[in-house]
Amino acid sequence: VRLAWVASPSFNIPDKVYAPEDLHRWPLLILTTHSNLHSKVISWLCPAGPHPGRINVCNNIGTLAAMVEAGIGIAYLPYEYYQDEIQCGKMRIIHTEPPLPNLEYFAVYDQRRPEPILKTIAEFARRVSRFRH
């Protein structure tokens, strides 16, 4: 899954490439510590330095997106899932360097114990997912 830092256009963030520490000046919106994305984002934001002071956590990515659109902060969201909001101007990408690694998602089931419903669910998830590789 390719992710991107996004903000509301109301933030008027200049269009340039930002280092992780540059993002500390804005309120950051990230998933809770129960998400594997949380630790990746925190490690990227402050590899050796202090923890940014303005981090708000939420356990729902849809709520994070709504908060971005409302101008509450910037968030690291799945690009393909929110590309319509980006293309229509409700959100804009904040370019950063170095990039955070993309995430991989897997549907896993034990093929040694055939339960047809599990294979069907995994295949259905693959077909309808808006995440692309």
Side-chain angles (χ1 to χ4, degrees):
V1 176
R2 187 176 74 164
L3 295 108
W5 284 102
V6 294
S8 166
S10 67
F11 265 61
N12 294 320
I13 298 173
D15 190 21
K16 66 176 196 170
V17 178
Y18 292 92
E21 60 272 11
D22 295 333
L23 299 187
H24 294 208
R25 70 181 84 166
W26 296 291
L28 302 173
L29 310 169
I30 63 174
L31 289 170
T32 63
T33 57
H34 300 292
S35 164
N36 67 347
L37 187 56
H38 179 92
S39 62
K40 291 180 187 312
V41 170
I42 293 297
S43 295
W44 181 84
L45 282 167
C46 40
H51 189 288
R54 296 188 303 173
I55 291 183
N56 298 291
V57 296
C58 176
N59 67 354
N60 184 293
I61 207 158
T63 301
L64 290 177
M67 292 169 73
V68 166
E69 287 185 42
I72 294 171
I74 64 174
Y76 194 59
L77 300 177
Y79 172 79
E80 282 82 9
Y81 196 78
Y82 290 102
Q83 68 183 349
D84 292 344
E85 288 82 353
I86 293 166
Q87 290 175 353
C88 78
K90 292 180 181 178
M91 296 179 186
R92 62 179 287 258
I93 293 178
I94 307 303
H95 300 282
T96 58
E97 190 65 41
L100 275 123
N102 293 334
L103 291 180
E104 291 184 290
Y105 286 89
F106 300 91
V108 179
Y109 59 93
D110 187 349
Q111 293 182 345
R112 296 172 296 181
R113 295 175 53 212
E115 294 184 40
I117 189 69
L118 298 179
K119 184 176 181 179
T120 301
I121 291 169
E123 180 59 28
F124 179 75
R126 186 191 62 74
R127 278 199 324 263
V128 301
S129 172
R130 291 181 67 181
F131 299 144
R132 299 291 174 241
H133 45 82

